[in-house]
Every structure is written in C-alpha cells, then in structure tokens.
Amino acid sequence: MILDQPEHFNNRELSWLKFNERVLEEVRDTRNPLMERLKFLAIFSSNLDEFFMVRVGGLKDDVLAGFNKPENKQQMTPKQQLKAISAKTKELVASEYEAFKEVRIALEQEGIRFLQPRQLNPDQLSYVSSFFREKVFPVLTPVAIDAYRPFPMLSSKSLNIATIVEAEDGARRHLALVQVPSVLPRFVDLPVDDEETTSVILLEDVISLFIDALFKGFRVVSSMPFRITRNADLPFHEEGTHDLLKLIEKELKKRRWGVAIRLEVQENTVNEELLSMLRDVLDLQERDIFTVDGPIDLTFAFSFYSQIGVEYDHLIYQSIISFDPPDLDQTKNLFNEILKKDHLLHHPYQSFDPVVRLIAQASNDPSVLAIKQTLYRVSGDSPIIKALKTAAENGKQVTVLVELKARFDEEKNIEWAKQLEKAGAHVIYGYSDLKTHSKITLIVRMNEGRIQRFVHLGTGNYNDSTAKLYTDIGLLTAKEEIAEDATNFFNWLSGYGEQPDWNVIHTSPNSMLTRFLALIDEEIKFHKKNGDGRIVAKMNSLTEKEIMLKLYEASRAGVKIDLIVRGVCCLRSGIKDVSENIRVISIIDRYLEHSRVFYFHHGGDELIYCSSADWMTRNMRKRIEILFPITDESHKAYLKNCLALMLADNVKAREQLEDGTYRYVEKGKRTCESQIAIQHYTNGRLRMVPSFDDPLDKKWTSVASTEHLISKNGNSGK
C-alpha cells in the first residue's frame, strides 16, 4: 500500500487554524474563570496576527514569485491554500466576536463594562473630554491625503482611523488619517459611583468622539477605524554577509513596512468610500478584508487582564506556587547536589529558580572557570543575562550563542548580544543557514585540582517569565558522558569542523532524525517479536513527513502509538490500514504545553528522551537541536506517569478524528484534567495515576512517593 498519499495528511496551515480554533473553544468554556476566558481571546487574536504575518505572508510571497506547484503534503498550491485559509479564518473571526460578546455580557453581570460614547453619563463624558484634551490631543497627528500628500506607509498592526471631512460650506470633501497612539493605554478607566464596578472606554472611541477637534474649519462626515497586517516573514539573504547582526538590524526595519496582507475594519463604522480607497491603495482582494463585529484587535485583553482583571480574584485562576525540589532549595550548594545525582525539573509545577541560581552561583564562584550557554528567547529583564554579565565582569570565560533569528525576538536578542559583548563575554551567532534552537548550559569548575563539568539541558527557553506559563522539562547533571558531549557541542558551534560523534545526545540537522527513524524501526521489530510495541510522543507540532510515514508503517505493523500534539499535526490518525493504531490528542489549558518527551517501549528496555525539537521539518533539517536521554529510573517513572495523566485527560484534551477534525475526549466516570492532576502528583497530593499501558482504563494504580521531586511536607501551595 502506498502510504504517501495526499489524503493521509492534514494541510499544515489548515491544521494550525484548527489548533487556534481549540484556543477559541477555551473562550467559550464556562468552566474557565471569566477573565481567563478573556485572556484566551487575546491569545487567539495574537496567534492569528502572527499566522498572517508569517505563514500567510510567506504564501503571498510564493504567489507573487509565480510559484504555483503543489509542494505540500496535501498537494495544494499557494493560491488554493490562501483561498482555504481565508474561508476558514473568516469563519473563525466571526466565532471570535460572538465569543467576545458572550464574555462582555458575562463581565457586565460582574460589574465590568466596556462603554460606547453614547453610554457615558455626564460625569464620565466630562472626564473623557478632559482626558482627550490633556493627554490624547497633544499626541495625535492628522494626516491629510491629497495630490501633494500621498497615502502614508502605515506600520503593521497599528490601529488607525480613516476619516472623510468636508469644508463648512460643503463644497469639497477630503480624506485624512489619524493613528491611534500605541504609546497610550488602549482603554480608559472611567469614574464610577460604585467602587465595586469598573467601566472603561476604548481609546479609539474617545478619539472618534472628539475627532472634529483635529480638523478645525471642517466637519467630519465619517470615521472608520481600521488595522493593517503586513508580511513579516523576513528573508535573510546571508550569503556573502560578513556581519549577521547588521544584516538583521537592517531587515528588522523593513518588517513594519512589508506588503499588506490583511485589513480589519469595524462593522458598525464601515464607509464604502473609505473601504474602497483602502482596498485600492493597499492592493488587497476581498478575501483579505475582515469586517469585525466589535473592537478591532482584541489583543488589548492582555493589558486589560493584567491591569484590571487581577483585581477580581474570583475571575482568574488561583495562583499555583512553584516550588524548589528539596535538594535544590536556596540553602543548598547546587554544585554539590548535582554531583550527587541528576535532577529533573518540571516547570511550572517546579520553579525555574534553581536554573537561574545555578548560573548566578557560577558567576560569583571563584572556582568556576567558564560558562557556556545558548540563548534563543529570554525575558525582558532577564536575571540570566545579568548573571552572565557578572560572570564576564568577574573574569570568567563566558561564551554565549545568541540566536539572532528568533522570530519577533530579533531586536531584543541583538540588544542582549551587545550588552554581553560590552561586559566581556564572547558572543557568537551560530551558523548562518541554521537557527540554533538548542537549550543547553555548560559550567566548567576547578575543584581541588580536578575539572568538574555541570550541564543543564532543557525543552524550553532560558526565560524565567515563560517558565511560569509553559510546561517544560529540564535536566541538571554532572554525568561525564553528557558533559563531554556538551563540551564538544559548544566547540562545534563556535569553531570549524564537522559534527562530532556523540556519546549519548543526538543533534539535528543530522543525527536526530536518523535516531528517531531508527527507534521507530526498532519498535516495529520488537513488536513483531513480542507483540508489545508502544510509542508515546509529546510535542508542539508534527510536520516531518519521513517520521509520519514511519509512524504509519509502525501502525500497520501493530505498534500502539499515542501522540500528544498541542498544535499543528499533519498526521491523520484512525485511517483504516494506515493509522488505525495511532491516537492523537491535543491539550489546551491554562499552561501552554511546550515540553517534548518521547517514549519507546523498546522490548521492555524502556527509553525516554527529551528534546528542544518537535517532529517538524524545520527542527529536523533547518535547526540545531538536542535530543537527550533520561536515564534515572525514578525520573523515567515520573515522566511515564505524567504522560499517562495526559493520555487520560478528558477535560481539556481533544482527540483527532479520521478526517483531521477534533472533538473533546468523551468523559467517563472519573474526570482527569491533566495539568491539575500533574500539579497534585508533583507536589505529592496525588497517589493514584492511570495505567500507562491503558490510560483510558477506569482502574488507576497507586504510585511510589515523589519525594525525589518534592519537599518533605508535599505542599506547594494552592
């Protein structure tokens, strides 16, 4: 049977839209606290922005370049994909604004109101008038459009108001634009009589209310808020470039001014004359125009959540306090503890603080000779950057690979690179044609005349902020074979030479894909011999065709395969004689499922790996990634139980059907919300977990104490 058939795969872009649809389901899930539902709305909107700027932008580039061959797994041309994306996205955006109405009505019942200008009482109208005059008007700059002043180049994602004004005698009409200043808050907190209530008005509504003040001697006939999204898929032409940093700085300046790919307008303000003008000047088709029934750009809900939402405790998730494992708490010398044994960290259930403290401790330890680290995305006020700068200033050999091509973090990473260099660190940028996406730190220490090496390997970024929101796995070890691999890895990145032969790790773009394919092949062989083949793989996305075809082969051989894929999944499960032994679930919950964990039964000699890489083409072929083994038996047992809890999830898990669509997993007598269950398991309050062999079975089994991971009293806070 030919497995490589278009009908055996999901289109990458349409699969991503299905993922974002699952995010939107969280907005409508009334089990979520109300402010969290609003936050999911902002996540959906932000996701869609990036999708258009990168994926749709790339497809538009293909069309403009004349590429019209079906090159993806579903054999769709760029034009066909754009048409399908437009239809599905318009359906999703309509649902998005229906969901916003539901949330807004529910917020009103809680005393939180988004007001229109006509709803303002006299006191509020007076307040808004003063606010506009004193704080908004001085910032605004109306831009006339005529023969002498052509349509301006508006930056991507900026919110603007298009207006038609006419002279007082009504003889002539003119077009003008007013940009809603991004330097001001998107919403204005209004005075209220009742301290238990909150009322706000959006900034664009305030400007529209008093927009006449900008056009003295003219009357505003019509005003229409709109927003442009531009192509932000930067084409780095690196061949012959001697300074990658300067090249990226140059390309970043172009991002805000790329070709327009989407226009959003507000339904109740649409003026056909203004809309026609925008469509023509931006060279957009009808499918590129989105008329929304509500405020444009719902990402403002992020700031609303952080500034107002947190004041309503009953409308947000209860905080989960991450904890340090007892052996890695603040009273311990981390080097001594890592020398004793490996330590597994599971964020955000466990704190990211031990990783930060390890680097901070190394920066001030006289015995530490060198620190080497890869940085892909870090937080805005990164304590890790501060520690690395301190280490360099203290005379230690600090080598940092800063990935300048981390999309939408390029500017921040350029600034970090400059600061580190100024402090005396040796900053490298990796290979020009590959992104370095690996998460690894190596600390070299001299103790009593002997060299000691300490390594941290992770599935997520060195970002203390996202470590509170993303689930990730980290390993702290002083094992010699891993330390040697880490040393060779950094030498490979910073110097010349072929990829080394590794002891225990595997890397892309070479050995990792080969290793995964071999592991699946071995599982097929073991299954044919013993009948117990099993693969469980957790990742963000799955697009690599060679791996999918090999999984189909394993499924046909009878290997039981469970895939936990949060986002894009081009593999189709449940197809007769192709993938009927493959189950695919996606979990969308309060934390973003980011960890990559791979389990192979391997004839009873169970293997578990963690990685910085998904099973994606870009991770396998276009990035430098690391796959590392988990060898401690207690750590393997812990990860198996966590995987079992995820596979048993019937609250936030959706299961992929044969046609590529998703539905919620059917509930049984026992409900399992895996993130809550894993939190309880990690802090010692859950002593029963599903059977790993059959996680959907009603029978759960008792588990050994997780004392190797938790504090003695088993309490992490509520």
Side-chain angles (χ1 to χ4, degrees):
M1 182 179 185
I2 300 174
L3 297 176
D4 190 359
Q5 300 278 13
E7 61 268 23
H8 295 165
F9 302 97
N10 297 311
N11 176 265
R12 186 194 196 283
E13 318 307 343
L14 298 180
S15 179
W16 185 93
L17 287 172
K18 288 172 186 171
F19 151 67
N20 212 28
E21 187 172 21
R22 298 193 290 276
V23 175
L24 188 58
E25 287 176 345
E26 292 300 309
V27 182
R28 311 194 92 151
D29 188 342
T30 55
R31 295 169 300 185
N32 292 326
L34 189 51
M35 280 293 176
E36 303 297 341
R37 292 168 61 193
L38 186 67
K39 189 176 180 181
F40 273 116
L41 201 60
I43 294 169
F44 172 89
S45 185
S46 176
N47 285 349
L48 202 58
D49 283 347
E50 184 170 336
F51 177 73
F52 267 85
M53 288 189 292
V54 178
R55 304 303 305 181
V56 176
L59 287 170
K60 290 239 177 185
D61 284 343
D62 289 344
V63 172
L64 290 172
F67 297 133
N68 204 35
K69 290 184 178 181
E71 296 181 345
N72 53 79
K73 298 166 189 72
Q74 268 206 329
Q75 295 296 294
M76 294 174 70
T77 67
K79 284 185 178 179
Q80 288 172 331
Q81 291 185 80
L82 286 171
K83 184 177 179 180
I85 287 168
S86 177
K88 181 61 178 177
T89 306
K90 292 205 170 184
E91 174 191 318
L92 287 177
V93 169
S95 296
E96 173 191 15
Y97 280 86
E98 288 173 8
F100 176 66
K101 285 182 183 177
E102 293 172 11
V103 171
R104 190 178 64 195
I105 291 169
L107 286 170
E108 287 177 358
Q109 295 171 353
E110 295 286 346
I112 303 168
R113 304 178 68 201
F114 291 92
L115 298 183
Q116 297 293 314
R118 65 179 182 278
Q119 297 174 300
L120 300 177
N121 63 37
D123 288 343
Q124 291 170 335
L125 186 60
S126 174
Y127 176 83
V128 168
S129 177
S130 298
F131 181 85
F132 175 82
R133 187 174 59 253
E134 296 169 10
K135 296 183 179 178
V136 181
F137 182 80
V139 184
L140 299 178
T141 305
V143 178
I145 301 172
D146 52 33
Y148 298 98
R149 290 166 289 192
F151 192 88
M153 180 62 80
L154 302 173
S155 64
S156 184
K157 299 198 295 181
S158 64
L159 185 59
N160 299 271
I161 301 174
T163 62
I164 297 176
V165 299
E166 67 178 14
E168 290 179 341
D169 58 8
R172 295 167 58 197
R173 284 191 167 194
H174 304 274
L175 296 176
L177 300 179
V178 178
Q179 188 167 96
V180 178
S182 59
V183 293
L184 296 177
R186 178 72 188 278
F187 56 87
V188 180
D189 200 355
L190 297 168
V192 291
D193 296 328
D194 181 1
E195 290 185 0
E196 299 299 314
T197 64
T198 298
S199 291
V200 301
I201 186 171
L202 294 178
L203 183 59
E204 63 266 30
D205 290 332
V206 173
I207 295 171
S208 295
L209 183 61
F210 300 106
I211 200 166
D212 295 73
L214 295 168
F215 303 100
K216 210 165 188 180
F218 289 83
R219 182 175 70 88
V220 176
V221 176
S222 179
S223 62
M224 182 182 79
F226 70 95
R227 181 175 182 250
I228 299 167
T229 309
R230 296 185 181 277
N231 186 350
D233 193 22
L234 299 182
F236 294 122
H237 303 295
E238 300 173 30
E239 240 178 84
T241 299
H242 296 292
D243 194 330
L244 183 60
L245 188 144
K246 288 183 179 178
L247 168 69
I248 293 179
E249 284 182 315
K250 181 180 177 182
E251 292 290 344
L252 280 174
K253 293 175 183 177
K254 299 178 184 178
R255 174 174 279 165
R256 295 169 63 197
W257 320 114
V259 174
I261 53 175
R262 179 179 60 163
L263 172 65
E264 297 166 274
V265 293
Q266 202 166 311
E267 187 177 279
N268 62 351
T269 66
V270 168
N271 177 286
E272 289 301 328
E273 181 181 351
L274 289 171
L275 186 57
S276 178
M277 179 269 294
L278 290 172
R279 183 171 53 235
D280 291 344
V281 77
L282 296 170
D283 193 23
L284 294 171
Q285 300 181 39
E286 193 61 37
R287 71 182 180 207
D288 304 319
I289 299 171
F290 291 78
T291 304
V292 301
D293 187 15
I296 296 170
D297 183 17
L298 296 181
T299 61
F300 78 83
F302 281 126
S303 57
F304 190 85
Y305 177 96
S306 61
Q307 294 175 40
I308 291 178
V310 292
E311 297 177 6
Y312 293 81
D313 291 347
H314 65 295
L315 299 183
I316 62 175
Y317 288 133
Q318 287 188 332
S319 297
I320 294 176
I321 302 173
S322 300
F323 65 96
D324 295 344
D327 293 336
L328 301 180
D329 67 30
Q330 297 191 20
T331 65
K332 303 292 174 63
N333 180 296
L334 296 179
F335 295 127
N336 292 342
E337 297 304 323
I338 297 170
L339 284 171
K340 293 176 186 176
K341 64 177 183 178
D342 287 357
H343 296 267
L344 189 75
L345 295 171
H346 193 179
H347 316 300
Y349 312 108
Q350 294 172 296
S351 173
F352 189 70
D353 188 56
V355 180
V356 176
R357 280 191 287 112
L358 178 66
I359 299 167
Q361 185 176 321
S363 70
N364 289 301
D365 187 334
S367 299
V368 168
L369 307 178
I371 304 173
K372 304 182 182 186
Q373 188 171 34
T374 58
L375 294 180
Y376 192 76
R377 301 186 198 277
V378 294
S379 61
D381 187 27
S382 172
I384 285 179
I385 295 288
K386 291 178 182 176
L388 291 171
K389 288 164 63 178
T390 298
E393 289 163 355
N394 285 341
K396 303 184 188 306
Q397 182 72 36
V398 178
T399 303
V400 184
L401 187 143
V402 179
E403 180 48 73
L404 298 182
K405 300 187 290 294
R407 185 175 281 122
F408 300 118
D409 272 336
E410 300 98 338
E411 197 166 357
K412 187 192 297 181
N413 286 2
I414 287 171
E415 179 58 32
W416 291 137
K418 289 179 177 178
Q419 287 190 27
L420 287 166
E421 283 184 330
K422 190 175 180 180
H426 178 210
V427 179
I428 55 177
Y429 307 127
Y431 289 87
S432 63
D433 55 342
L434 298 169
K435 279 187 182 180
T436 303
H437 191 247
S438 312
K439 327 296 182 185
I440 182 171
T441 300
L442 170 66
I443 297 170
V444 182
R445 191 169 181 256
M446 179 72 76
N447 186 41
E448 297 180 353
R450 296 181 60 188
I451 288 289
Q452 298 172 335
R453 291 180 289 189
F454 303 85
V455 179
H456 174 265
L457 291 158
T459 67
N461 296 305
Y462 287 106
N463 188 316
D464 55 296
S465 295
T466 57
K468 298 171 185 175
L469 305 171
Y470 294 9
T471 69
D472 273 305
I473 302 294
L475 178 69
L476 292 168
T477 181
K479 279 196 169 72
E480 187 57 32
E481 61 269 26
I482 291 182
E484 186 176 333
D485 280 347
T487 300
N488 291 335
F489 179 81
F490 280 104
N491 290 344
W492 173 48
L493 288 186
S494 62
Y496 291 105
E498 296 180 355
Q499 181 179 291
D501 293 326
W502 308 115
N503 294 313
V504 294
I505 71 169
H506 294 273
T507 57
S508 65
N510 297 314
S511 70
M512 190 186 297
L513 177 57
T514 303
R515 179 58 176 160
F516 277 129
L517 295 174
L519 285 166
I520 300 170
D521 269 331
E522 289 168 12
E523 206 63 33
I524 294 171
K525 291 176 183 175
F526 280 120
H527 184 78
K528 289 178 178 178
K529 180 180 178 182
N530 306 319
D532 57 1
R534 179 84 185 283
I535 297 170
V536 181
K538 179 185 182 296
M539 67 203 79
N540 293 277
S541 295
L542 171 54
T543 67
E544 171 51 48
K545 195 171 191 177
E546 275 198 71
I547 288 180
M548 288 188 284
L549 290 172
K550 188 61 69 175
L551 290 172
Y552 288 158
E553 187 181 330
S555 173
R556 281 169 55 81
V559 177
K560 183 181 177 183
I561 301 168
D562 289 294
L563 303 176
I564 306 166
V565 186
R566 173 178 56 87
V568 174
C569 183
C570 292
L571 177 146
R572 279 198 179 179
S573 60
I575 303 173
K576 185 174 175 57
D577 296 327
V578 176
S579 57
E580 55 194 324
N581 286 313
I582 302 177
R583 178 177 182 244
V584 176
I585 64 168
S586 170
I587 297 172
I588 309 292
D589 204 346
R590 68 165 70 184
Y591 299 130
L592 184 144
E593 289 292 345
H594 192 256
S595 57
R596 292 93 167 188
V597 183
F598 306 95
Y599 166 89
F600 300 88
H601 184 258
H602 207 67
D605 182 21
E606 297 174 310
L607 302 177
I608 295 183
Y609 292 89
C610 292
S611 180
S612 58
D614 296 309
W615 279 350
M616 296 184 75
T617 304
R618 69 185 188 191
N619 297 98
M620 295 295 107
R621 303 172 188 273
K622 299 178 181 179
R623 292 184 172 186
I624 296 175
E625 309 271 13
I626 294 178
L627 175 72
F628 57 95
I630 303 298
T631 56
D632 182 281
E633 291 302 321
S634 63
H635 295 165
K636 289 167 72 172
Y638 171 81
L639 289 176
K640 277 183 63 179
N641 287 331
C642 287
L643 289 172
L645 287 166
M646 284 181 264
L647 293 174
D649 194 311
N650 55 11
V651 177
K652 293 298 186 180
R654 287 81 161 172
E655 190 168 15
Q656 190 195 90
L657 305 180
E658 183 182 342
D659 62 358
T661 60
Y662 286 76
R663 70 178 178 195
Y664 278 99
V665 173
E666 291 183 11
K667 287 189 171 51
K669 291 183 180 179
R670 184 194 293 269
T671 60
C672 177
E673 185 175 352
S674 58
Q675 290 190 354
I676 300 300
I678 290 171
Q679 175 210 348
H680 291 165
Y681 171 49
T682 305
N683 66 28
R685 289 184 294 177
L686 182 71
R687 296 291 185 170
M688 300 284 288
V689 297
S691 162
F692 184 75
D693 295 328
D694 189 4
L696 294 176
D697 186 62
K698 295 176 184 177
K699 295 179 181 177
W700 285 28
T701 58
S702 61
V703 293
S705 169
T706 52
E707 293 258 323
H708 64 287
L709 291 165
I710 63 173
S711 56
K712 294 295 182 185
N713 59 16
N715 181 23
S716 70
K718 294 183 179 179

